Amino acid sequence: MAKKDLKELTINELEKQAKSLKTIALIFGILLVILSCFSVFVSLRDSEFQPVSIMPIVFFPFLLILAGSIKKINSEIRSRNNP
């Protein structure tokens, strides 16, 4: 399935996509916080480097990408509602 440009989607499709991306970002953010807490716990428990310690840092940019996508969709919705 080819990715459509935001200008080609209807308002309802944009709102549906924004809602699903917000849900995904929320779940991903919660999992990232849990992973961060776990990595701090493992690092404090074992006084040596654990590979799990860098996982929250590695996955954080994905959350930023999701936030950027949500921002683009919301700006497209606003531009259509306020001509």
Side-chain angles (χ1 to χ4, degrees):
M1 183 170 132
K3 185 177 178 181
K4 288 185 177 180
D5 189 26
L6 293 179
K7 297 186 185 308
E8 297 175 3
L9 298 174
T10 65
I11 294 282
N12 290 334
E13 290 173 332
L14 286 171
E15 289 172 347
K16 183 179 177 183
Q17 191 174 19
K19 184 178 178 182
S20 65
L21 282 177
K22 286 178 185 178
T23 304
I24 291 169
L26 178 68
I27 292 170
F28 191 75
I30 290 170
L31 290 175
L32 197 60
V33 168
I34 292 170
L35 184 61
S36 297
C37 293
F38 179 73
S39 67
V40 167
F41 171 74
V42 169
S43 295
L44 292 176
R45 186 188 62 180
D46 304 334
S47 59
E48 59 188 41
F49 175 76
Q50 297 293 325
V52 74
S53 301
I54 61 168
M55 289 177 64
I57 298 167
V58 171
F59 288 124
F60 184 72
F62 294 117
L63 190 62
L64 295 178
I65 291 169
L66 281 171
S69 297
I70 294 168
K71 186 176 179 180
K72 287 179 186 176
I73 291 172
N74 286 336
S75 66
E76 180 66 27
I77 292 171
R78 271 188 257 110
S79 71
R80 290 187 190 185
N81 288 336
N82 299 323

